[in-house]
Amino acid sequence: MSQIETANDTRPGPEHVHMSTVADEARAIADAWSAPGSPPSWWLTAALFTAVAEDEVLRDIGAGIPADRRPALLLSAAITAVVTTGADPVRRYFPVPGGPQPPDDGGFRPALKALVRDRRDAIAALCAGHRYQMNEVTRSVDVLPVLGAVAAETGRPLALVDLGTGAGLGLRPDRYAYEYTLPDGTVRAVGSGPLTVGCTVRGAVPPLPERLSVTARVGVDVEPSDLEDPVTAAWLAACVPPEAGAVTRFAAAVDLARAEPAEIVRGDVLEVLPAVVGSLPADTAVCLVDTYVHVFLGPERLARFRELVTGLGRDLDWISVDPLVPLGPEATTTVQGLDVPPQWLTENREGGVFGVIGRLSVRDGVASARLLGRAHPGGSWLEWL
């Protein structure tokens, strides 16, 4: 969804969350960034979310944030925004595009604790005036195999509709280069472009296309992100995990988006999607793509979206990469209503957020859905079924 919705937003929302809920959400995300074998460059992201879980001032701020704004994520972005726009000593721990990951010297947590108490009002104000919007372009590695499968099955070029597109960085999967490190250690390269993204593959080898043909692309967002606006661009950068590779990829993807702008429709997806789909060329295969978006909708709106997709009067595919719903230990199904393996439920309850990859296809008004795999939220690994 949108990265910016002001505090004057009057739409009804859920109740504020309990402090323990904020802590649980933050710990689950921290676990995802600190699993055994995690790259050393992930330390700061894990430490930041651990601080959100354990710092009573941050938990108190988070308890005043509606649940659909994902307090733990929003707090991490607000802290990053405060840190990276100032001269506080904490800044030295945060990477810059093209630079290395600053090391952990043991001083981050005490320095952050002092900053939070000194800048509490600024952090709270950012949380009140913004929504979290992570534009992680590496998530294209999760979507590419499904897009390739749709193209192969239909024999048509693709019409891509990126839902909750934000800055539109997910609208150019055909303009990125990919490197998939397969279970046997070999690297499968796909495509070419000014930015290379990659992941380590677990399980089966996904169906990787030689090339991808996207002839129509449009994003949908309630509040599209204007990358030409420095304030907006700075907030989007703050939503990126403070990991050297992530911030470098984001900067490169922003440069490409500015050089090759795509159409983005402003509006609620439930209201504007019929017109958007109706405007797409008839000879294309329509692919609705969301990555970590539908988990923000809530059960009622999510149910309405499912009904909408099957009633658009056109063959299409909905590709989803979303955490289990709700984002927490109670989850039992995906946003597409798909059951997941018991082991995944166990791992989700024990902590460690991952995105579940699903495909819902509509053909002649009949919907069918398949569970395809799961992936790390930062795009580092992909497990294919």
Side-chain angles (χ1 to χ4, degrees):
M1 299 295 287
S2 164
Q3 94 290 358
I4 295 178
E5 288 189 31
T6 68
N8 295 323
D9 187 355
T10 58
R11 292 180 301 169
E15 295 295 326
H16 292 175
V17 297
H18 191 273
M19 290 175 64
S20 63
T21 303
V22 178
D24 290 344
E25 181 178 285
R27 287 193 185 96
I29 300 171
D31 288 344
W33 288 89
S34 58
S38 296
S41 62
W42 289 11
W43 80 265
L44 181 58
T45 305
L48 181 58
F49 281 102
T50 299
V52 171
E54 297 178 352
D55 190 287
E56 61 182 19
V57 173
L58 293 175
R59 293 203 310 268
D60 183 59
I61 296 172
I65 301 172
D68 72 333
R69 291 178 183 259
R70 294 301 172 199
L73 294 168
L74 188 54
L75 279 165
S76 72
I79 293 168
T80 301
V82 168
V83 169
T84 56
T85 56
D88 190 273
V90 184
R91 184 185 176 98
R92 68 187 176 91
Y93 293 101
F94 284 71
V96 298
Q101 185 75 36
D104 177 11
D105 60 7
F108 172 71
R109 283 295 297 274
L112 180 64
K113 183 175 181 178
L115 174 128
V116 166
R117 279 143 187 81
D118 183 54
R119 303 297 303 278
R120 172 176 179 155
D121 290 346
I123 293 171
L126 284 168
C127 290
H130 293 75
R131 277 188 179 270
Y132 178 82
Q133 176 64 56
M134 179 177 169
N135 286 257
E136 176 49 81
V137 69
T138 298
R139 291 172 179 170
S140 296
V141 302
D142 308 332
V143 176
L144 181 73
V146 198
L147 293 175
V150 173
E153 292 169 16
T154 63
R156 295 182 174 185
L158 303 180
L160 180 63
V161 183
D162 190 32
L163 306 173
T165 193
L169 304 187
L171 279 169
R172 300 165 185 82
D174 55 327
R175 293 285 287 116
Y176 303 138
Y178 300 84
E179 292 182 350
Y180 292 83
T181 302
L182 303 182
D184 64 1
T186 61
V187 177
R188 181 81 59 84
V190 177
S192 62
L195 171 62
T196 300
V197 294
C199 69
T200 298
V201 176
R202 303 175 180 177
V205 177
L208 300 176
E210 292 297 325
R211 59 184 297 274
L212 201 62
S213 176
V214 179
T215 59
R217 66 192 85 217
V218 57
V220 175
D221 204 293
V222 69
E223 187 71 32
S225 305
D226 181 5
L227 291 173
E228 301 300 330
D229 174 39
V231 175
T232 298
W235 175 252
L236 293 181
C239 291
V240 175
E243 190 273 333
V247 299
T248 299
R249 289 190 299 271
F250 173 77
V254 167
D255 289 342
L256 179 60
R258 286 171 172 162
E260 302 177 4
E263 179 187 6
I264 298 180
V265 174
R266 179 187 297 269
D268 186 306
V269 65
L270 294 174
E271 298 174 0
V272 304
L273 189 59
V276 168
V277 171
S279 70
L280 298 172
D283 61 346
T284 58
V286 176
C287 292
L288 313 178
V289 176
D290 88 87
T291 57
Y292 294 79
V293 171
H294 280 80
V295 71
F296 288 87
L297 289 187
E300 180 181 348
R301 286 170 54 79
L302 183 56
R304 288 174 56 198
F305 180 83
R306 292 175 186 159
E307 294 177 1
L308 176 64
V309 166
T310 56
L312 288 173
R314 179 163 181 174
D315 288 356
L316 55 81
D317 287 88
W318 168 23
I319 302 165
S320 168
V321 186
D322 278 284
L324 296 177
V325 178
L327 184 60
E330 303 84 5
T332 57
T333 62
T334 74
V335 298
Q336 294 176 325
L338 297 171
D339 293 327
V340 299
Q343 180 61 31
W344 292 13
L345 295 178
T346 300
E347 292 178 19
N348 184 58
R349 294 187 181 105
E350 292 177 348
V353 177
F354 51 83
V356 179
I357 307 169
R359 173 185 174 186
L360 186 149
S361 302
V362 179
R363 300 290 186 268
D364 297 323
V366 179
S368 61
R370 288 181 56 200
L371 184 69
L372 300 176
R374 60 174 174 167
H376 184 270
S380 66
W381 56 262
L382 168 66
E383 180 179 336
W384 203 256
L385 295 178

